[in-house]
Every structure is written in C-alpha cells, then in structure tokens.
Amino acid sequence: MNDPLTERALLLAPRLLFAAGAAVLVAAMAVRVGRGEAQAAAMATLYLAWLLLEAPVTFRRATAAPADARTLLPYALARLLLIASACFGPSPWPGASPWSAIPAMVFVSGVALRQTAIRALGRFYSHHVMRQNGHRVVTGGVYRTVRHPAYAGMLLANLGFTCFFLNPLSAAAFALLAAAVVWRIRVEERALWDVPGYPRYAAGRARVLPKVW
C-alpha cells in the first residue's frame, strides 16, 4: 500500500506530464515555425490538441487510490522522451510533401480510436491503474474487438507521430513506450481480474491487436 504522499504524487503525475508535454510542444511549434517547417509545426500542433482533448480526464478528481505505482513513471518518461526527440530532431520533410499525410492520418486514426474507447468507458476510464467503486466490464463498441482499445489507440497515434518525425532516438523512445504499455496492461489486468465477468470477457479477445496480442 502506498503512503499518502506517494499516492498524491501519483495522482499528480499525469498532470505534470500534461504540463511538460504541452511546454515541449509549444516550444517545438515555435522552433519549427521559425525554420519555416509548416508541416512539422502542424504535426506538433495536432499532438498538443490531443493533450488538450484529454485534459478533462487528466484533471478529473480520482475516485480511488491508484492500484500501481511502478508502471506510471516509465510510461510517462517514455512518452515525454518520444515527444521531445521527435519534435526537436532533424526536419523529416524539407518541403511540402503529400507523403507526410500518411503518418498524420495514422496519428489521427489512433487518437480517434482512443477517444472512442474513453467515451465508451465513461467514468470508469482513468489515466491511472485503479479499480473504482461499482466497476463493471464494458463489452460494447470498440471493446467488442480488443480489451484495451484506449492503449491501442495511444500506441497507434504515437506510431504515426514517430513515423512523421522519424529518427533513431524517437524510434527508440517509441520502443520504450510500447514496452511500458505492455507492462502496464499486464498490471492493469491483474487489478481487473476480480471484476465480475472480466475473465470470461478477456478469454475471447486480444489485448490490443486482434490475432496477435
């Protein structure tokens, strides 16, 4: 069991990530605009819009104490490293290129999937690993296909972002993020296993990618 100070720090962590990520993206937008790299600036703006879209969830008051502390920091740091290494790396598109639309579409598709999953869970969704009062299994919508569509959407969006700004460091940061998400999913499923109906639900569905994992 975490002490009160640790629990408070954990509850603040997503908000601190939001602030740090937003600051990095705003700085990157300014740098890219100054260099005349409109496409890169637009992509950073899209990521910032994603953070703002999830701000109501990020700043929502938690209804339960976090069930896990170990996975949050690696997840947060990997995501922040990905944002910074992508945005401040070399320019991926020296001029206007129609090919840049492909990773941008992957990014938007991932965000759309994640938002659909968050809306489907409603009050049961949280940036923390926690089991809330009255927790129940949601099986409709995108949850009919995979168990963790919010994580699937997050990975897909960050994959598109990484491919747009592709460089060795951002690729390594994405690999770290994927590893942190896999660990986080395993921890979260242990926390959810006692929710009535969850074992049966989990038995018939992949975690994030059908027929793969």
Side-chain angles (χ1 to χ4, degrees), residues 36-40 42-43 91-105 163-164:
E37 300 170 356
Q39 288 184 321
M43 195 63 188
S91 177
W93 314 101
S97 171
W99 293 106
S100 66
I102 296 175
M105 290 173 61
C163 289
F164 188 98

Short mmCIF file of all heavy atoms in Angstrom, two decimals, residues 36-40 42-43 91-105 163-164:
data_model
loop_
_atom_site.label_atom_id
_atom_site.label_comp_id
_atom_site.label_asym_id
_atom_site.label_seq_id
_atom_site.Cartn_x
_atom_site.Cartn_y
_atom_site.Cartn_z
N GLY A 36 10.52 27.78 -40.79
CA GLY A 36 9.68 27.68 -41.98
C GLY A 36 9.20 26.26 -42.27
O GLY A 36 8.84 25.94 -43.40
N GLU A 37 9.16 25.40 -41.24
CA GLU A 37 8.75 24.00 -41.40
C GLU A 37 7.29 23.87 -40.98
O GLU A 37 6.96 23.43 -39.87
CB GLU A 37 9.66 23.09 -40.57
CG GLU A 37 11.12 23.18 -41.00
CD GLU A 37 12.07 22.47 -40.03
OE1 GLU A 37 11.60 21.97 -38.99
OE2 GLU A 37 13.28 22.45 -40.32
N ALA A 38 6.41 24.27 -41.88
CA ALA A 38 4.98 24.34 -41.56
C ALA A 38 4.39 22.97 -41.25
O ALA A 38 3.56 22.84 -40.35
CB ALA A 38 4.22 24.99 -42.71
N GLN A 39 4.79 21.94 -42.00
CA GLN A 39 4.22 20.61 -41.77
C GLN A 39 4.59 20.08 -40.39
O GLN A 39 3.75 19.50 -39.69
CB GLN A 39 4.69 19.65 -42.86
CG GLN A 39 4.05 19.91 -44.22
CD GLN A 39 4.47 18.88 -45.24
OE1 GLN A 39 5.62 18.45 -45.29
NE2 GLN A 39 3.54 18.47 -46.08
N ALA A 40 5.85 20.25 -40.01
CA ALA A 40 6.28 19.78 -38.70
C ALA A 40 5.58 20.55 -37.59
O ALA A 40 5.18 19.97 -36.56
CB ALA A 40 7.80 19.91 -38.57
N ALA A 42 2.65 21.90 -37.79
CA ALA A 42 1.25 21.46 -37.78
C ALA A 42 1.11 20.13 -37.04
O ALA A 42 0.14 19.92 -36.30
CB ALA A 42 0.73 21.32 -39.20
N MET A 43 2.09 19.23 -37.21
CA MET A 43 2.02 17.94 -36.53
C MET A 43 2.17 18.11 -35.03
O MET A 43 1.47 17.45 -34.24
CB MET A 43 3.11 17.00 -37.08
CG MET A 43 2.91 15.55 -36.70
SD MET A 43 1.38 14.89 -37.40
CE MET A 43 1.31 13.30 -36.60
N SER A 91 14.57 17.84 -39.46
CA SER A 91 13.31 18.01 -40.18
C SER A 91 13.05 16.80 -41.07
O SER A 91 13.91 16.41 -41.87
CB SER A 91 13.36 19.27 -41.04
OG SER A 91 12.18 19.40 -41.79
N PRO A 92 11.87 16.16 -40.96
CA PRO A 92 11.58 14.98 -41.76
C PRO A 92 11.17 15.32 -43.19
O PRO A 92 11.31 14.51 -44.09
CB PRO A 92 10.42 14.34 -41.01
CG PRO A 92 9.71 15.50 -40.37
CD PRO A 92 10.79 16.49 -40.03
N TRP A 93 10.63 16.52 -43.39
CA TRP A 93 10.11 16.90 -44.71
C TRP A 93 10.72 18.25 -45.08
O TRP A 93 10.28 19.29 -44.59
CB TRP A 93 8.59 16.99 -44.68
CG TRP A 93 7.95 15.80 -44.01
CD1 TRP A 93 7.46 15.74 -42.74
CD2 TRP A 93 7.77 14.50 -44.56
NE1 TRP A 93 6.99 14.49 -42.47
CE2 TRP A 93 7.15 13.70 -43.57
CE3 TRP A 93 8.06 13.94 -45.80
CZ2 TRP A 93 6.82 12.37 -43.78
CZ3 TRP A 93 7.73 12.60 -46.02
CH2 TRP A 93 7.13 11.84 -45.02
N PRO A 94 11.71 18.27 -45.95
CA PRO A 94 12.35 19.54 -46.32
C PRO A 94 11.41 20.52 -47.00
O PRO A 94 11.60 21.72 -46.95
CB PRO A 94 13.49 19.11 -47.26
CG PRO A 94 13.08 17.76 -47.77
CD PRO A 94 12.31 17.12 -46.65
N GLY A 95 10.37 20.03 -47.61
CA GLY A 95 9.37 20.88 -48.25
C GLY A 95 8.02 20.23 -48.12
O GLY A 95 7.86 19.19 -47.48
N ALA A 96 7.02 20.84 -48.73
CA ALA A 96 5.68 20.26 -48.70
C ALA A 96 5.69 18.91 -49.40
O ALA A 96 6.19 18.78 -50.52
CB ALA A 96 4.69 21.20 -49.37
N SER A 97 5.18 17.88 -48.73
CA SER A 97 5.19 16.54 -49.30
C SER A 97 3.86 15.85 -49.03
O SER A 97 3.41 15.81 -47.87
CB SER A 97 6.33 15.70 -48.71
OG SER A 97 6.21 14.34 -49.10
N PRO A 98 3.24 15.29 -50.07
CA PRO A 98 1.98 14.56 -49.84
C PRO A 98 2.18 13.32 -48.99
O PRO A 98 1.24 12.83 -48.37
CB PRO A 98 1.51 14.23 -51.25
CG PRO A 98 2.75 14.23 -52.09
CD PRO A 98 3.62 15.28 -51.50
N TRP A 99 3.41 12.79 -48.96
CA TRP A 99 3.67 11.57 -48.19
C TRP A 99 3.53 11.81 -46.70
O TRP A 99 3.28 10.87 -45.93
CB TRP A 99 5.07 11.04 -48.51
CG TRP A 99 5.20 10.55 -49.90
CD1 TRP A 99 5.85 11.16 -50.94
CD2 TRP A 99 4.65 9.34 -50.46
NE1 TRP A 99 5.75 10.42 -52.09
CE2 TRP A 99 5.03 9.30 -51.82
CE3 TRP A 99 3.89 8.30 -49.93
CZ2 TRP A 99 4.65 8.24 -52.66
CZ3 TRP A 99 3.52 7.25 -50.77
CH2 TRP A 99 3.89 7.23 -52.11
N SER A 100 3.70 13.04 -46.26
CA SER A 100 3.57 13.33 -44.83
C SER A 100 2.14 13.10 -44.34
O SER A 100 1.91 12.97 -43.13
CB SER A 100 3.98 14.77 -44.55
OG SER A 100 3.09 15.69 -45.17
N ALA A 101 1.18 13.05 -45.25
CA ALA A 101 -0.21 12.83 -44.86
C ALA A 101 -0.43 11.43 -44.31
O ALA A 101 -1.35 11.21 -43.51
CB ALA A 101 -1.14 13.07 -46.06
N ILE A 102 0.41 10.47 -44.71
CA ILE A 102 0.20 9.08 -44.28
C ILE A 102 0.41 8.93 -42.77
O ILE A 102 -0.49 8.47 -42.06
CB ILE A 102 1.09 8.12 -45.08
CG1 ILE A 102 0.68 8.15 -46.56
CG2 ILE A 102 0.97 6.69 -44.53
CD1 ILE A 102 1.57 7.32 -47.46
N PRO A 103 1.59 9.30 -42.22
CA PRO A 103 1.73 9.19 -40.76
C PRO A 103 0.78 10.11 -40.01
O PRO A 103 0.35 9.79 -38.90
CB PRO A 103 3.20 9.57 -40.50
CG PRO A 103 3.62 10.33 -41.70
CD PRO A 103 2.85 9.75 -42.84
N ALA A 104 0.43 11.25 -40.62
CA ALA A 104 -0.53 12.15 -39.97
C ALA A 104 -1.89 11.48 -39.85
O ALA A 104 -2.58 11.59 -38.83
CB ALA A 104 -0.64 13.46 -40.74
N MET A 105 -2.31 10.75 -40.89
CA MET A 105 -3.59 10.03 -40.85
C MET A 105 -3.55 8.89 -39.83
O MET A 105 -4.55 8.61 -39.16
CB MET A 105 -3.93 9.51 -42.24
CG MET A 105 -4.32 10.61 -43.22
SD MET A 105 -4.54 9.98 -44.92
CE MET A 105 -5.89 8.83 -44.67
N CYS A 163 6.66 8.10 -36.83
CA CYS A 163 6.99 7.94 -38.25
C CYS A 163 7.07 9.29 -38.96
O CYS A 163 7.85 9.46 -39.89
CB CYS A 163 5.95 7.05 -38.92
SG CYS A 163 6.05 5.31 -38.43
N PHE A 164 6.26 10.25 -38.52
CA PHE A 164 6.32 11.57 -39.12
C PHE A 164 7.67 12.23 -38.86
O PHE A 164 8.26 12.83 -39.75
CB PHE A 164 5.19 12.45 -38.58
CG PHE A 164 5.05 13.77 -39.28
CD1 PHE A 164 4.10 13.94 -40.28
CD2 PHE A 164 5.86 14.85 -38.95
CE1 PHE A 164 3.98 15.16 -40.94
CE2 PHE A 164 5.75 16.07 -39.60
CZ PHE A 164 4.81 16.23 -40.60
#
